[in-house]
């Protein structure tokens, strides 16, 4: 029992919580630096050649679970430990502090007033019930009152005591929700061409929603570099009587029935060409060996003596580069221009078909994350509210009225209010 109490005292300390938060922050930074969730052989191949800090190789990365930090045993244990620390702090400090604040403190003796931060007293000349009038005045100004025959206690801003507890609850929900999301979230990357659709099926309700790409366009800078990718998506479901169009772009995802749809990438997926009076729709693939954002394929051209040519394109407007892989000669084919002849074949570019790269993510932890941030914001706002207290005592023997005040924050601001209330009570 003694060991358990020492353990609770240790983990509920502010110093321990700060050290734990720093450890989690550093771990998250490492998780950003090291790609997560890749094949283990990739880590072995890469980090054996370039070890982290010069000595952590690929095998050690896997052994230390650095390839999946956010679902690793030690990272989850640190989150659990932080939850316990916050809960222990709330039960050990914040809740007792709230209970103490809920209890009325009764000052029956004028000697106790001299221990307060703010105090004033004056002699009563006229026979007036100042306690009754002070009670009426303070109630009108929103103070809660506990009144006796010759004294009263008043307080305001008690909700500020709830702030730290609400923040702790929010942080605990955030940690639990984040850990839950790491295990339960699902993500899928999908490329859609114009007019192409994707079926989303909810297995629990057996309902289906069809997503169709209605429009996709790219905003470019003056130098031609992509600035923004924008997709117009149609959501259609007969079962749910749904038919609406939503727009997603980079950094502006679509939220739909628990799903989050991100605009992530784009590509030139197909081109339509006319080769020797025959139309072909050709599917392109990325060619990272040449460069980023370059797509192409290898085809044969020529009516008799056929040769291999590499077709490449780097944007949705063209032109299409046709490269002879033997002598590296190049020709450019522009969209909807007159046909050109290459190795006795007449070719023309009729259509360029871009694809919108979407990431569809199902994360059931998102409601918990939103709830946690709402609680943290509310708790922070509540924590800024000062708890002010006033005590008034009338000493019948000396015919003096004592007024004392106390505030847990912004004492200077409360002092002005305290002096103003004292004058009003005196002159009432």
């Amino acid at each position: 029992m003694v060991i358990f109490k020492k353990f609770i005292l240790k983990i509920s300390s502010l110093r321990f919580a700060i050290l734990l938060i720093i450890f989690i922050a550093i771990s998250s930074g490492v998780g950003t630096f090291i790609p997560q969730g890749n094949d283990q052989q990739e880590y072995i191949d890469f980090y054996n050649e370039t070890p982290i800090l010069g000595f952590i190789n690929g095998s050690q990365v896997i052994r230390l679970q650095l390839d999946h930090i956010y679902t690793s045993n030690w990272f989850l244990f640190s989150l659990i430990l932080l939850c316990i620390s916050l809960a222990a702090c709330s039960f050990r400090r914040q809740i007792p502090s709230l209970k103490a604040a809920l209890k009325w403190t009764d000052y029956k003796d004028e000697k106790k007033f001299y221990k307060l931060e703010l105090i004033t007293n004056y002699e009563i000349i006229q026979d007036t019930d100042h306690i009754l009038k002070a009670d009426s005045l303070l109630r009108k100004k929103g103070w809660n009152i506990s009144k006796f025959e010759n004294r009263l206690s008043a307080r305001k801003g008690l909700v500020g005591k709830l702030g730290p507890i609400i923040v702790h609850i929010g942080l605990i929900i955030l940690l639990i929700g984040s850990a839950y999301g790491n295990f339960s979230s699902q993500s899928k990357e999908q490329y859609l061409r114009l007019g192409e659709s994707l079926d989303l099926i909810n297995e629990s309700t057996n309902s289906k929603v069809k997503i169709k790409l209605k429009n996709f366009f790219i905003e470019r800078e003056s130098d031609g570099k992509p600035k923004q990718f924008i997709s117009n998506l149609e959501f259609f479901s007969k079962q749910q009587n749904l038919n609406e169009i939503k727009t997603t772009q980079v950094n502006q995802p679509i939220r739909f029935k628990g799903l989050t749809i991100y605009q992530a990438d784009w590509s030139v997926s197909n081109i339509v060409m006319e080769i020797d009076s025959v139309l072909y729709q050709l599917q392109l693939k990325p060619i990272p060996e040449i460069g980023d954002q370059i797509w192409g394929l290898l085809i044969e051209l020529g009516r008799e003596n056929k040769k291999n040519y590499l077709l490449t394109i780097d944007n949705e407007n063209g032109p299409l580069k046709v490269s002879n892989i033997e002598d590296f000669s190049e020709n450019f084919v522009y969209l909807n221009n007159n046909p050109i002849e290459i190795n006795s074949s007449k070719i023309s570019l009729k259509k360029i078909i871009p694809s919108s790269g979407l990431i569809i993510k199902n994360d059931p932890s998102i409601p918990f994350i939103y709830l946690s941030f709402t609680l943290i914001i509310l708790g922070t706002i509540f924590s800024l509210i000062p708890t002010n207290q006033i005590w008034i005592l009338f000493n019948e023997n000396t015919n003096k009225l004592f007024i004392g005040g106390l505030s847990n924050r912004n004492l200077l601001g409360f002092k002005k209010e305290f002096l103003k209330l004292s004058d009003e009570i005196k002159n009432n």
Side-chain angles (χ1 to χ4, degrees):
M1 191 66 178
V2 176
I3 297 176
F4 179 74
K5 287 184 178 180
K6 288 183 178 180
F7 172 73
I8 294 298
L9 290 174
K10 189 73 174 177
I11 68 172
S12 63
S13 67
L14 179 62
R15 183 177 182 181
F16 179 84
I18 291 175
L19 290 174
L20 200 54
I21 290 172
I22 292 174
F23 172 76
I24 293 173
I26 293 174
S27 301
S28 300
V30 174
T32 304
F33 172 73
I34 300 176
Q36 301 290 292
N38 293 345
D39 186 79
Q40 291 187 354
Q41 190 60 42
E42 293 183 25
Y43 296 98
I44 294 174
D45 294 340
F46 183 79
Y47 290 109
N48 280 354
E49 294 182 4
T50 56
I52 301 174
L53 302 177
F55 61 89
I56 302 178
N57 58 31
S59 298
Q60 291 170 328
V61 167
I62 295 171
R63 192 178 303 115
L64 295 172
Q65 299 180 323
L66 300 181
D67 59 325
H68 58 283
I69 288 177
Y70 306 114
T71 55
S72 64
N73 296 331
W74 55 268
F75 188 80
L76 292 175
F77 177 75
S78 64
L79 295 182
I80 293 171
L81 204 57
L82 183 57
C83 288
I84 296 173
S85 175
L86 294 172
C89 179
S90 296
F91 280 104
R92 181 170 168 262
R93 297 183 179 182
Q94 304 303 333
I95 293 179
S97 175
L98 177 61
K99 288 182 178 180
L102 291 173
K103 294 181 180 179
W104 288 97
T105 303
D106 185 18
Y107 282 7
K108 301 178 181 179
D109 188 352
E110 63 188 54
K111 293 180 180 179
K112 293 183 179 180
F113 279 75
Y114 292 102
K115 297 179 181 180
L116 298 173
E117 294 172 319
L118 300 173
I119 181 175
T120 183
N121 67 84
Y122 51 85
E123 188 173 349
I124 301 298
I125 299 175
Q126 57 195 33
D127 188 15
T128 306
D129 191 345
H130 280 71
I131 298 297
L132 182 61
K133 292 188 175 182
D135 174 55
S136 176
L137 176 66
L138 292 173
R139 287 185 188 276
K140 288 180 181 179
K141 294 182 177 294
W143 290 75
N144 296 316
I145 306 295
S146 176
K147 180 176 171 296
F148 299 92
E149 185 178 352
N150 67 331
R151 62 191 184 277
L152 66 79
S153 300
R155 64 192 182 195
K156 186 167 65 171
L158 195 61
V159 70
K161 293 289 185 178
L162 289 171
I165 298 176
I166 295 175
V167 170
H168 285 186
I169 293 173
L171 288 172
I172 291 172
I173 294 175
L174 175 62
L175 294 171
I176 294 174
S178 299
Y180 173 57
N182 286 336
F183 285 98
S184 59
S185 64
Q186 297 175 333
S187 181
K188 179 181 181 181
E189 187 172 3
Q190 183 75 34
Y191 281 86
L192 292 179
R193 298 190 301 270
L194 285 177
E196 192 175 12
S197 60
L198 172 70
D199 290 336
L200 299 178
I201 300 175
N202 189 327
E203 295 180 356
S204 60
T205 60
N206 199 28
S207 59
K208 183 172 70 173
V209 174
K210 185 183 292 291
I211 298 178
K212 184 178 181 180
L213 182 63
K214 297 289 289 183
N215 195 10
F216 173 73
F217 54 95
I218 302 171
E219 294 180 355
R220 294 185 176 271
E221 303 282 3
S222 57
D223 59 359
K225 292 182 178 179
K227 178 182 178 182
Q228 183 63 274
F229 315 136
I230 303 172
S231 296
N232 294 328
L233 301 173
E234 180 183 19
F235 291 78
F236 178 79
S237 174
K238 290 183 178 180
Q239 294 174 321
Q240 302 179 32
N241 194 24
L242 174 68
N243 189 1
E244 57 181 287
I245 294 178
K246 298 177 180 289
T247 300
T248 179
Q249 55 187 348
V250 178
N251 297 325
Q252 294 185 21
I254 295 174
R255 315 285 184 185
F256 178 78
K257 297 185 181 299
L259 296 177
T260 305
I261 302 174
Y262 299 91
Q263 180 68 64
D265 203 353
W266 74 285
S267 71
V268 178
S269 59
N270 297 75
I271 55 174
V272 177
M273 296 188 67
E274 183 177 328
I275 304 175
D276 295 329
S277 302
V278 180
L279 284 176
Y280 297 90
Q281 180 166 313
L282 306 175
Q283 184 175 0
L284 307 183
K285 293 184 179 180
I287 309 179
E289 294 82 3
I290 299 178
D292 293 334
Q293 301 289 304
I294 295 179
W295 301 268
L297 82 160
L298 196 66
I299 66 169
E300 289 183 336
L301 293 177
R303 292 180 180 271
E304 296 178 358
N305 184 21
K306 295 185 179 297
K307 293 183 180 180
N308 288 325
Y309 289 84
L310 179 64
L311 308 183
T312 58
I313 193 169
D314 61 3
N315 67 76
E316 75 282 7
N317 299 314
L320 178 71
K321 183 192 293 186
V322 183
S323 304
N324 188 329
I325 64 173
E326 293 180 358
D327 58 12
F328 302 105
S329 60
E330 297 177 349
N331 290 280
F332 291 93
V333 183
Y334 292 87
L335 188 62
N336 294 321
N337 267 20
N338 294 327
I340 67 171
E341 185 173 327
I342 298 178
N343 193 30
S344 72
S345 288
K346 289 186 177 182
I347 65 173
S348 60
L349 181 60
K350 298 300 184 181
K351 190 175 184 180
I352 300 172
I353 305 174
S355 291
S356 173
L358 304 173
I359 293 180
I360 304 171
K361 189 173 183 180
N362 176 27
D363 191 350
S365 68
I366 287 180
F368 296 97
I369 305 299
Y370 285 163
L371 173 61
S372 66
F373 277 108
T374 302
L375 291 175
I376 291 170
I377 292 171
L378 287 176
T380 303
I381 294 173
F382 288 164
S383 297
L384 297 175
I385 300 174
T387 302
N388 301 329
Q389 294 175 280
I390 286 179
W391 290 270
I392 302 177
L393 171 67
F394 176 61
N395 190 326
E396 296 179 353
N397 298 325
T398 59
N399 212 34
K400 282 188 175 183
L401 191 70
F402 290 85
I403 304 175
L406 184 66
S407 180
N408 64 339
R409 58 174 53 89
N410 191 20
L411 183 62
L412 183 61
F414 176 58
K415 184 178 181 180
K416 296 178 182 178
E417 182 182 4
F418 174 81
L419 294 175
K420 183 179 179 181
L421 285 172
S422 299
D423 290 339
E424 291 181 8
I425 293 171
K426 177 181 177 181
N427 299 321
N428 197 335

